[in-house]
Amino acid sequence: MINKKLLKFVPESHRYIQKNVVYQWLGMLCNVVITAAILLFIRNLNYMYLGLVFVLMILRFMVNRQATMNSHQASKIVKKTIREKLYTQLSKIGPRYKETWSTAEIVQLTGEGIEQLESYFGSYIPQFFYALLAPVTLFIIVVFINRPAAFALLICVPLIPVSIVCVQKFAKRLLNKYWSQYTYMGDHFLENIQGLTTLKIYQADSKKHEEMNEEAEKFRKITMRVLTMQLNSITVMDIIAYGGSAVGILFSFIALKQGSISIYQGLFITLISSEFFIPMRMLGSYFHIAMNGMAAADKMFKILEYPIEENKEDLEANSVVLDVSHLSFGYEEELVLKDISLNAHQGFIGIVGESGSGKSTLAHLLTGKLGHYLGSIKLNNKELDTLSFASLQRLMTTVSFDSYLFSGTLKENLLMGDPHASDQEMWDVLEKTGIASFFKEEGLDTVLNEQGNNLSRGQKQRVALARALLKDA
């Protein structure tokens, strides 16, 4: 019922969880004393008890508010910590993450997946410990009034977690399927949005629309299965909670009939019998949200535990010699590159060849975006796999045919290559790439639309090349 691995992963949240449990427990004690004070007022008509009720209601409001604040604080720390660790890990993995996970899956896990963990740490974990503490506290109180009723109430309480355990294995499998379908549909949706222009050109959007409808229907069905499972388990927990309260009340009535307790003691047991089951009942409600979070966490841990070779060398160099020897690489079983060897020095490198001959693949291998190759790639006699990804990013730059230009000015886009570049240096690289004349009228303050959509494909490539020249890789 508790993912210890996940709980240990964010130790900074533990003190807020502990405070949350303590404040909830104090709130329950306030409820118990309020109930007792109201009964004492009815019996003695002493207005001092009403004053006590008023004071305790204010105190209960304050402790409940503190419990909520600590819940929020715990969930905030968890979201911040896990997002930072995920992003740090992804930056260490680099572009190679695409070999294992899709971009849409990463976005969904770092967004919706982490939001699910907010409920796990902010609500479920504190409620778990409070649900263990509350019935024991109430048992100690009631046992001094009537032992049979106290034991009857305490014995019925564990039936709720037993019902939770019974559905846990089934729920975990179902929620794993739910997340798989959720990310799968997200992948296709993102792909279709990105390729919408192409789909329109080839009039294939209606077919993709039908495919998305089918995926959405599958997701709807598995969502309904999750909801059905949740509602059925909640119904079972309600039956146990109400049934357990009824058993405790029945024992108190029997004791009242036998004369072993007063009518006010019997009313006290009747009124607080529900307090035995409310914490466990709330735990059951949070359980399904928590299971969703744990299913997402399992996928997050696959990213966080992805093997990364530590202690990679950080290569500092003013000039670079590239040596490639007997390099081979293939997607799945088919080799794209076979026994490639080359030697190159700092400067421009042009690689030409037929479409599909492996030019882009070679560029990705040389810049560390692809791994698992055969042969050797060395920079200054250092094997590529022994160098940090930060070094490769600093020493080499690839300008692809679809380089991204951001919405903003031409100057803002060029400064990404070198934040300290002067206006003259920017004009120099624009001249070298043959695009300077196009921007003479508005200059470096020319506004570029998102993805450079107000430029032609060739102009976008020239701006991207100018930006790369400023980086001086």
Side-chain angles (χ1 to χ4, degrees):
M1 293 174 69
I2 285 187
N3 189 327
K4 294 180 181 178
K5 184 179 180 181
L6 185 57
L7 197 59
K8 289 178 181 178
F9 193 69
V10 194
E12 301 90 344
S13 66
H14 292 181
R15 63 192 180 102
Y16 295 105
I17 292 171
Q18 291 165 1
K19 288 181 181 179
N20 189 347
V21 174
V22 170
Y23 283 123
Q24 286 193 72
W25 181 73
L26 290 173
M28 182 207 67
L29 288 180
C30 288
N31 285 340
V32 172
V33 179
I34 287 170
T35 303
I38 290 171
L39 291 172
L40 287 170
F41 170 75
I42 294 171
R43 188 176 71 176
N44 301 322
L45 294 177
N46 187 334
Y47 286 96
M48 180 185 71
Y49 293 116
L50 282 183
L52 179 61
V53 169
F54 179 74
V55 171
L56 286 169
M57 287 179 72
I58 294 173
L59 181 60
R60 184 181 63 182
F61 169 78
M62 292 172 65
V63 296
N64 287 345
R65 188 169 180 270
Q66 286 296 318
T68 303
M69 288 174 65
N70 280 281
S71 170
H72 171 72
Q73 195 66 26
S75 59
K76 185 174 79 170
I77 286 173
V78 166
K79 290 195 291 184
K80 181 175 181 292
T81 303
I82 293 182
R83 277 203 175 102
E84 282 180 353
K85 290 184 177 180
L86 272 173
Y87 292 146
T88 300
Q89 177 74 348
L90 286 168
S91 68
K92 289 179 180 177
I93 296 171
R96 293 185 188 181
Y97 81 86
K98 292 183 180 180
E99 296 175 8
T100 309
W101 303 282
S102 66
T103 302
E105 185 176 6
I106 296 295
V107 169
Q108 287 164 329
L109 285 175
T110 54
E112 181 66 22
I114 290 177
E115 291 299 323
Q116 294 290 341
L117 291 179
E118 177 181 6
S119 299
Y120 180 81
F121 281 89
S123 301
Y124 176 75
I125 294 296
Q127 190 67 30
F128 178 86
F129 291 107
Y130 171 62
L132 296 176
L133 185 60
V136 174
T137 305
L138 291 169
F139 170 78
I140 293 170
I141 294 170
V142 176
V143 79
F144 288 105
I145 302 172
N146 183 257
R147 286 187 180 181
F151 278 102
L153 288 165
L154 188 65
I155 289 169
C156 290
V157 168
L159 294 176
I160 292 179
V162 167
S163 68
I164 293 174
V165 171
C166 289
V167 301
Q168 185 177 12
K169 288 186 178 180
F170 170 73
K172 189 172 183 179
R173 287 197 301 269
L174 184 59
L175 287 167
N176 280 332
K177 289 181 181 177
Y178 169 85
W179 266 101
S180 296
Q181 182 61 33
Y182 178 57
T183 54
Y184 182 77
M185 187 176 71
D187 289 344
H188 282 258
F189 179 74
L190 180 62
E191 185 181 43
N192 290 339
I193 289 293
Q194 289 174 332
L196 189 58
T197 303
T198 303
L199 292 174
K200 287 288 186 182
I201 290 170
Y202 292 98
Q203 297 181 342
D205 53 314
S206 58
K207 183 182 178 182
K208 287 293 182 182
H209 181 206
E210 291 172 6
E211 290 176 2
M212 279 303 300
N213 284 343
E214 291 175 8
E215 294 301 328
E217 179 63 17
K218 289 178 184 177
F219 182 65
R220 184 194 69 82
K221 286 180 178 178
I222 197 164
T223 302
M224 295 308 296
R225 286 179 64 191
V226 170
L227 290 173
T228 301
M229 178 268 296
Q230 291 175 345
L231 289 172
N232 288 340
S233 59
I234 287 171
T235 302
V236 172
M237 286 185 287
D238 282 341
I239 292 170
I240 295 170
Y242 293 131
S245 297
V247 169
I249 294 168
L250 178 63
F251 273 91
S252 67
F253 283 168
I254 292 171
L256 180 62
K257 188 176 181 181
Q258 291 173 347
S260 58
I261 62 172
S262 68
I263 188 170
Y264 295 104
Q265 289 173 321
L267 281 171
F268 178 78
I269 294 173
T270 301
L271 290 172
I272 71 162
S273 62
S274 61
E275 292 283 350
F276 272 83
F277 300 95
I278 287 174
M280 280 292 179
R281 172 65 183 77
M282 290 296 294
L283 179 67
S285 299
Y286 293 139
F287 168 74
H288 301 293
I289 302 171
M291 284 297 294
N292 211 357
M294 284 190 280
D298 289 340
K299 293 182 178 294
M300 290 179 204
F301 277 120
K302 288 180 181 177
I303 299 173
L304 292 167
E305 294 172 352
Y306 187 82
I308 295 175
E309 294 180 27
E310 298 293 339
N311 303 319
K312 285 198 170 186
E313 188 175 348
D314 195 23
L315 179 62
E316 294 284 350
N318 293 322
S319 62
V320 171
V321 176
L322 174 68
D323 287 299
V324 177
S325 178
H326 305 292
L327 174 66
S328 297
F329 178 83
Y331 298 99
E332 296 180 353
E333 295 180 359
E334 186 177 350
L335 287 178
V336 178
L337 300 174
K338 187 176 180 181
D339 199 26
I340 301 292
S341 296
L342 65 92
N343 178 273
H345 298 270
Q346 180 174 343
F348 286 98
I349 300 171
I351 301 172
V352 297
E354 294 179 357
S355 177
S357 60
K359 302 184 298 297
S360 298
T361 299
L362 179 58
H364 288 326
L365 284 167
L366 298 181
T367 51
K369 294 177 182 178
L370 289 175
H372 311 295
Y373 57 84
L374 300 175
S376 174
I377 304 174
K378 290 183 178 180
L379 287 178
N380 292 2
N381 292 319
K382 303 284 186 181
E383 189 63 39
L384 191 82
D385 276 346
T386 66
L387 300 177
S388 66
F389 185 68
S391 291
L392 299 180
Q393 285 182 306
R394 188 169 58 251
L395 294 171
M396 293 190 287
T397 298
T398 307
V399 182
S400 65
F401 68 90
D402 57 350
S403 293
Y404 200 94
L405 296 182
F406 294 85
S407 58
T409 64
L410 172 64
K411 185 174 183 177
E412 288 170 343
N413 275 274
L414 291 175
L415 284 175
M416 292 177 187
D418 179 6
H420 307 293
S422 65
D423 286 4
Q424 185 57 50
E425 287 173 323
M426 285 185 266
W427 281 115
D428 287 344
V429 294
L430 289 172
E431 288 286 353
K432 285 181 181 179
T433 56
I435 191 69
S437 59
F438 181 79
F439 297 111
K440 283 294 183 184
E441 186 175 338
E442 296 183 40
L444 296 174
D445 293 324
T446 303
V447 176
L448 304 184
N449 294 340
E450 182 183 356
Q451 292 187 333
N453 285 333
N454 55 338
L455 302 177
S456 70
R457 177 63 65 90
Q459 289 167 340
K460 284 194 288 186
Q461 285 183 311
R462 288 169 184 266
V463 172
L465 183 57
R467 181 172 60 189
L469 290 176
L470 277 175
K471 185 182 173 184
D472 194 26

